[in-house]
Amino acid sequence: MRRMKKSKIVGSLWMGLVMVGCGILAGASIPSAAYSVEIGGEEVGITVDFTYATKYIWRGYDVFYDDRPLFQPSVVIDWRGFSAGFYGLLSDGAEGDDGVEHFELDFGLGYERSFWEEERYALDISLDYTYFAYPNHHRSEVDGEEIALAVSMPNLIPLGPSILVPSYEMAYEWHGLEGGTNFDEGFIHTLGLSYAIPIPVLIPAQEEQAIDLSWNIAYNSGCYETDSSWTHTTIGASTTFEYGQFYFTPALYYQWSFEDTMNEEDEFYASFSAGFLF
């Protein structure tokens, strides 16, 4: 989900129920309501998510009306490692500088695969393409595109009761098909670590539970008028509650911003994800 620099983005949003959000990713994964169906003997997964986030932070940028909250719905279909989805971002009542409550509607395609799953050097790889659109924005040139390659090693560093998982993502940003060059193209590199601390289940019907911790640091090569530099680092924590078909995941994040051309402020924000298993 591409986010342009605040000074450049007048639009607003709908988006995928992932934060981290992406994320941040900000770096922690958020569970979802999901079910699967069989088509021609093949199992097809369907994920329907909804999140409420206190800020719109993407790759370090505070891109949505300076600290305003937003709603984030998404629908994703996956089959044999391939996925396709629609992701939305809708403001919580905020308007752009033209008096219109804008929204963002993104479309994504992806593929992920795991190698040597039982080995210490196991490798998870994903490749994703996303198109970011602002359907009711008066300037269609704010549309953008991203392709991102991510790798992680889920078995590499056993540590106490769990495993410390290193990861790396390389994302390339460019303007959309509507044709606009109101932001700079370039790469954003993100290094990360994640660790799940097992804890006693807090709901009797739940099989297992953990506190999921994450950390990442990013290097921006000059996208969106940002000076090339290490721009920010983020820590996050989340946990998931499950009861029958219901999922709920609260998450907290804190970002230290190093580069004023990206973000002049450190950021503290939260997300609340809920879903049903149909």
Side-chain angles (χ1 to χ4, degrees), residues 1-6 8-9 12-16 18-19 21-22 56-64 70 72 87-89 104-106 130-134 142 144 146 173 183 188 220 223-224:
M1 305 117 192
R2 178 215 56 184
R3 319 307 172 221
M4 295 169 57
K5 199 177 169 186
K6 268 193 296 187
K8 293 239 171 181
I9 218 161
S12 152
L13 330 145
W14 267 42
M15 149 186 174
V18 182
M19 187 128 222
C22 137
Y56 185 6
I57 305 295
W58 177 86
R59 300 200 182 281
Y61 295 93
D62 179 359
V63 296
F64 183 66
L70 68 156
Q72 305 173 329
Y87 309 88
L89 296 100
E104 178 181 332
L105 182 61
D106 304 337
T130 309
Y131 190 93
F132 313 97
Y134 301 85
V142 300
E146 175 190 88
E173 318 291 330
F183 62 89
I188 299 175
N220 189 317
C223 299
Y224 318 133

Side-chain angles (χ1 to χ4, degrees), residues 5 19 21 39 58 79 88 116 140 144 170 182 235 249 261:
K5 199 177 169 186
M19 187 128 222
I39 299 178
W58 177 86
W79 173 77
W116 314 295
S140 61
M170 177 178 64
N182 62 312
I235 59 172
T249 299
T261 58

